[in-house]
Structure formats: structure tokens, C-alpha cells
Amino acid sequence: MFPNEIDSESLTSPVNTLNGPTHSNTGGDRTLSGYDYDLPEDRIAQNPVTPRDSSRLLVVDSPTSHQHRRFRDLPELLEPGDLLVLNNTRVMPARLYGYKSTGTAVEVLLLEEQQENQWLGLVKPGRRLKPGALIQFPAPDHPEGEPLSNSTLWATVLATDDATGGRILQFEAAPGTSVRDLLESYGQVPLPPYITQSVASPDQYQTVYAEESGSAAAPTAGLHFTEELLDRLEAKGINRAFVTLHVGVGTFRPVEVEDVTRHQMHEEWVQVPPETVEKIRETKARGNRVIAVGTTGVRSLEGAAAVSGELQPFCGKTDLFIYPGYQWRVVDGLITNFHLPRSSLLMLVSALIGRDRLLGLYREAIAQEYRFYSFGDAMIILPAAKTGV
């Protein structure tokens, strides 16, 4: 289960937009249908490539030119003194399978812990899980077909969350035990619904630098990095810094209004530490470039800067929605995967190089048989290609 698998009632509740950017009226850039494209089903990657950095890389190197490379070529495309900003979130085993007391099967995708052992989660079937419903999750070694009375993990539905259409769940676990710890045994790493034939291991859906557990999905642009590639980048003098954005429903919630300016992002938790801010300031003072790895890196940096108008250390939530006309404050370039049609992620990348240019590059990638989405290939937009319109 993933956000775009949930019934529509779970995804249409309004969210207040805070600290939003100022946008200009750019015609088709503001219409949902303007972000459509046709993707053959066989272009949706079902498994990652091995090694990770052997994935293909579409290099957007100017407003009019591009080239086809491999991700391992990244050190040749960046300059000494440039700064890569990576999201070090770690995907939780956030998918749980359980049963109602009636025996009805239940699927839960946990999004965030709101207080001790109380979580916001997306549930399926949502209409049958009203406040007061009790869910029991079998122990990992529970024999199939045996009664569930000895299950050691239970949750009660406390309320419906209006912002996401999900549920607030209060878990009961053994004294001194946190649900977060139990997820390692009870949960599964959630893959997106368009990955239906994967044989990937859970580690292949984590970046090699994943550290801070709390995400419901991987920051997929980072999946292409290997330890060897990071060493090569460092040897060339290309620096790196980290932010944390725990990916939740805000990243994947579909845009459902034709006027995209009316779309409202759900908040996601972000931390931009002081050392990262300092590295960014030093990089820009030298005249070097800040390259965000992934749209979550972009939202972290630009969301933190939106609070006061300039980048400062930040720990909190952001619901920043970036689309063409956005006035960039921090990010000079971007490494990203290929995104779903009509998604807020496609709009974010369009804000960097323009919607028409991006859709043209997508058509080229499809013609060249690039692999799309989470386990797919990558694109780098170098600062020289950035238009901001």
C-alpha cells in the first residue's frame, strides 16, 4: 500500500500552505494536464541495476543541450569545491499486515510517530477502520491459521486524520518497548505500487548513507551512489553535506486539482543542521555550486530558507510546494530520477529548467529506453542549464 493506492477519500482533505513561494502566472505551467506524458509500462523499472552507479544518467548541461552518460561519470561532471547535499533519511519497515477482530485483513503504512507509540498511518481498507477499531498484528513466527490471541502487537484506531485521510493509531506493546523497535521484526520495507515484480532486497531500497530512520519511502536519487563513487567524488574535492527529510505522504500525494496553484502539500519533517548551512555558505562564497541530490534535498533546503527568507539551520516541518515561477534561494543544480506524470515532483523539476524543456527530455529518455521511477535511471541538471522559469 502506498499513498496513490488509497481510496480518494484518503487523499483529498485540505492542508494549510505555510511559507509558500511567490509564483508568476505562466499559463500551461499552472494546469495539471500540462504535466501529462505517456510512459510505456515496460519503462517502469522493477529492479535496481548492479552496481548502483552503472545506471544511466541524462546530463542536462545547458539550456539547449544534453548528453547521455552513466552515473559513475558524476565526478567528471562536477567541479572541485562543489557541494552535494544528500538526504540521509532511512526507510522504516513501515508496512504492517494485521487483522481486525472480525478477521478482516488490514494493511497499514506508518508515516510518522506523533507521540510515544502513537502513529499516523494510511490504512486499507480505510472505510472499515473507524475510531475504536482494534487491529492485531501477528508475531513474526506466528503459525499460519492459528488463533491470533497471543499476538504481541495491537493498535486501536483513535481518530481519522483530516489532512491525509489516514488514521491515528495507538499501539500497545510490552512495557519499555517502542513500536519503532518492533518494526524491525513486524514490518516490511514498503515499495511503491508500480513496483510489482521486484526481487530487490530491502537494502537495495536504502541509500548507502542512510542513517536517520523515519521515512516511508526512499529518497531515490540517492540510490545510485556507491561507497566507491563517494570516495572518488571526495578525492576530486567535491564536498558533501547532509539534510534529513522523512519522506511521507507530502511527496507522493497526487495533485488532483486542474489549477495546480490550489494544490496543498502535506507537511514533512525536515532537519537542516548548522554544519550543512555553514558548508553551503562557504561553497557559495567561493563561487562554487550547491547540487541537491533528489527533490527531497531541494524541499529541505528551500523549505528551510522560506522560513526567514534566507537559509538558516532548521528543524521542523515544511509543506513547501515548488512549481514553475518559483524564486530559488539555495539550490543551483539537481540530481533526480524520472517522476510520475502529474506529480508535484515533476512540477518541482520543471521549476528548474521549464516544463516544456523537461517534457522534451522525458520524451528523449523514453525513446532512448531509460528506466523510470524509483529503481530507474537518473538525470542531472547542471547549474548552466537552470532557467528558473
Side-chain angles (χ1 to χ4, degrees), residues 188-242:
Q188 297 181 16
V189 170
L191 294 179
Y194 47 75
I195 298 178
T196 59
Q197 304 171 40
S198 181
V199 295
S201 68
D203 284 348
Q204 289 178 290
Y205 194 58
Q206 303 278 12
T207 64
V208 296
Y209 47 79
E211 185 173 342
E212 302 293 336
S213 180
S215 192
T220 54
L223 295 179
H224 305 279
F225 287 89
T226 63
E227 294 288 0
E228 180 187 11
L229 179 58
L230 290 171
D231 289 343
R232 289 174 52 217
L233 288 163
E234 184 176 4
K236 188 177 175 180
I238 298 161
N239 303 310
R240 62 179 180 262
F242 294 96

Side-chain angles (χ1 to χ4, degrees), residues 112 244-247 267-271 300 315-318:
E112 62 181 51
T244 305
L245 183 146
H246 292 324
V247 183
E267 292 180 327
E268 292 173 308
W269 187 88
V270 172
Q271 183 171 25
S300 298
C315 184
K317 292 186 176 182
T318 183

Side-chain angles (χ1 to χ4, degrees), residues 8-58:
S8 60
E9 71 168 358
S10 301
L11 295 168
T12 55
S13 300
V15 184
N16 291 328
T17 300
L18 304 175
N19 301 318
T22 300
H23 296 81
S24 60
N25 190 336
T26 50
D29 292 346
R30 300 166 74 105
T31 63
L32 181 59
S33 55
Y35 295 90
D36 229 342
Y37 69 91
D38 294 322
L39 181 70
E41 189 173 348
D42 64 359
R43 293 294 88 216
I44 301 173
Q46 297 296 310
N47 290 286
V49 296
T50 303
R52 295 169 182 245
D53 60 1
S54 63
S55 58
R56 298 177 71 184
L57 181 65
L58 179 57

Side-chain angles (χ1 to χ4, degrees), residues 228-296:
E228 180 187 11
L229 179 58
L230 290 171
D231 289 343
R232 289 174 52 217
L233 288 163
E234 184 176 4
K236 188 177 175 180
I238 298 161
N239 303 310
R240 62 179 180 262
F242 294 96
V243 295
T244 305
L245 183 146
H246 292 324
V247 183
V249 73
T251 295
F252 294 100
R253 184 181 186 182
V255 179
E256 296 181 324
V257 289
E258 180 61 18
D259 179 358
V260 301
T261 66
R262 295 178 54 224
H263 175 67
Q264 301 195 343
M265 298 284 287
H266 184 68
E267 292 180 327
E268 292 173 308
W269 187 88
V270 172
Q271 183 171 25
V272 180
E275 56 267 28
T276 293
V277 173
E278 185 60 29
K279 285 185 178 181
I280 290 171
R281 289 173 178 167
E282 292 172 352
T283 299
K284 289 185 174 288
R286 291 193 306 269
N288 289 109
R289 297 93 56 87
V290 175
I291 311 296
V293 177
T295 57
T296 60

